[in-house]
Amino acid sequence: MLERVTDLSATDWIRKNVLSLENSASRSGNYVEHCIPAIYEAYGKIFHNMYEDTSVDNKTVTWDDLHKQKPVDLGDPLQTVLHDATKVYGGECEKDPDKLIRIRWKELSDRYGLQYHADLNVESFTRSFPTQSWPRYLTGPDEGMLEGSTCKEIVKSIATATSDFDLSQECFFLYDLIATTNYESDLLYRGRLKSVFDTYQLDDISSTPTYWWPIDQTWLVCTDWDLPFTLIGGSEKLISTIMSNHELECLPVAPTNRIDYKSDTINR
């Protein structure tokens, strides 16, 4: 069961140990160490799921093409944001779950002649598409949202690496301000490791936890609101266990790996 914690001092260690974002975007970009403190033995980058819609026969039709057929009111700020997002990652429409097949980042990289490596980002794919609009048959990864199935596999890997098979270790679950619905303050909860599954039913939040970690701070999971992948820091054993989980698509990274939309300097 989750317990709301009003004293946010338990999060201070993260703020004090991550690299400050101040002026970093205007200088050289954002890196793993802006999200996860550079205090761990190893780090991993877990790509969020993408899907291929097998009901779409014409692979040349793009999400922009679909949008042109269904114009939106761009005077509405929300619709403007959704419109801009559609240009990059694909859009939302009625889908038949039975027609959606997960496509891994590695498979999509091979399909479009891209090198699969740790700094790969959605922009790598966007640049490779003829009109820089995602094909309609693809649904890109969610930003700031960890699918339940992926979360389950991460928990399974943590349990295996830490011998916490009853998922009982005490953990904190933090939502940054932008991941809440009222935008008044960060929200912090405390519970067992298995309580992460209860976070999907919380009120006043709009995504999965920005951060979650055990009381002893031996690992840290970060799903930033602006990233289509989740970062995790911990022991070599933990990251190795995650890497060996075939349900997860994870690559090892270092604190100095770049994570913003300009991260991929190989696939130009």
Side-chain angles (χ1 to χ4, degrees):
M1 179 178 295
L2 287 167
E3 173 192 358
R4 173 75 185 279
V5 180
T6 56
D7 180 3
L8 300 180
S9 61
T11 69
D12 290 347
W13 72 279
I14 300 176
R15 314 297 185 192
K16 291 178 180 178
N17 288 289
V18 293
L19 194 64
S20 174
L21 283 169
E22 186 176 344
N23 297 324
S24 63
S26 62
R27 293 203 305 263
S28 60
N30 297 332
Y31 299 83
V32 171
E33 57 191 337
H34 285 113
C35 293
I36 302 278
I39 60 176
Y40 292 107
E41 289 181 343
Y43 299 81
K45 176 180 178 179
I46 303 170
F47 294 106
H48 293 175
N49 292 353
M50 298 189 289
Y51 294 92
E52 183 174 359
D53 190 337
T54 59
S55 68
V56 178
D57 295 324
N58 188 346
K59 298 298 189 292
T60 65
V61 174
T62 69
W63 283 101
D64 271 0
D65 293 334
L66 186 67
H67 174 75
K68 291 173 184 177
Q69 298 171 15
K70 299 178 180 179
V72 298
D73 178 13
L74 295 183
D76 182 335
L78 176 59
Q79 291 299 323
T80 300
V81 170
L82 292 175
H83 171 262
D84 292 341
T86 296
K87 290 183 177 181
V88 181
Y89 304 116
E92 290 294 333
C93 67
E94 293 184 7
K95 307 183 188 75
D96 181 353
D98 294 333
K99 299 292 180 64
L100 293 179
I101 299 176
R102 180 184 174 189
I103 181 170
R104 293 178 178 264
W105 289 56
K106 174 65 167 64
E107 181 182 353
L108 196 62
S109 296
D110 292 342
R111 183 176 298 179
Y112 285 92
L114 303 178
Q115 183 172 332
Y116 180 69
H117 65 110
D119 293 335
L120 190 71
N121 208 315
V122 286
E123 186 65 23
S124 308
F125 298 113
T126 301
R127 289 197 303 262
S128 72
F129 299 139
T131 64
Q132 296 196 354
S133 172
W134 281 58
R136 165 61 186 83
Y137 80 94
L138 292 175
T139 297
D142 289 329
E143 287 184 338
M145 175 64 73
L146 196 59
E147 282 192 19
S149 58
T150 304
C151 182
K152 179 180 178 181
E153 296 301 327
I154 292 176
V155 169
K156 185 188 299 183
S157 295
I158 291 173
T160 300
T162 61
S163 300
D164 180 29
F165 298 110
D166 60 355
L167 311 182
S168 63
Q169 60 181 307
E170 286 285 331
C171 295
F172 284 108
F173 307 94
L174 173 68
Y175 290 86
D176 275 351
L177 180 68
I178 201 166
T180 68
T181 56
N182 55 22
Y183 302 108
E184 294 179 356
S185 68
D186 294 351
L187 295 177
L188 181 64
Y189 296 87
R190 180 170 177 166
R192 305 291 186 181
L193 175 57
K194 59 186 177 184
S195 299
V196 69
F197 302 119
D198 296 330
T199 63
Y200 288 85
Q201 280 75 52
L202 285 173
D203 296 327
D204 301 326
I205 57 94
S206 58
S207 64
T208 42
T210 310
Y211 287 103
W212 37 300
W213 68 95
I215 301 298
D216 62 9
Q217 303 169 9
T218 50
W219 51 263
L220 178 66
V221 178
C222 174
T223 305
D224 186 87
W225 67 275
D226 198 32
L227 298 178
F229 44 80
T230 288
L231 300 170
I232 182 167
S235 66
E236 292 278 5
K237 181 179 180 181
L238 172 59
I239 302 305
S240 176
T241 302
I242 289 175
M243 292 284 296
S244 63
N245 185 328
H246 298 298
E247 295 301 318
L248 297 173
E249 188 172 14
C250 179
L251 288 177
V253 290
T256 53
N257 274 98
R258 190 167 178 173
I259 57 175
D260 58 35
Y261 73 101
K262 292 184 177 181
S263 63
D264 189 356
T265 60
I266 294 177
N267 295 304
R268 288 296 191 185

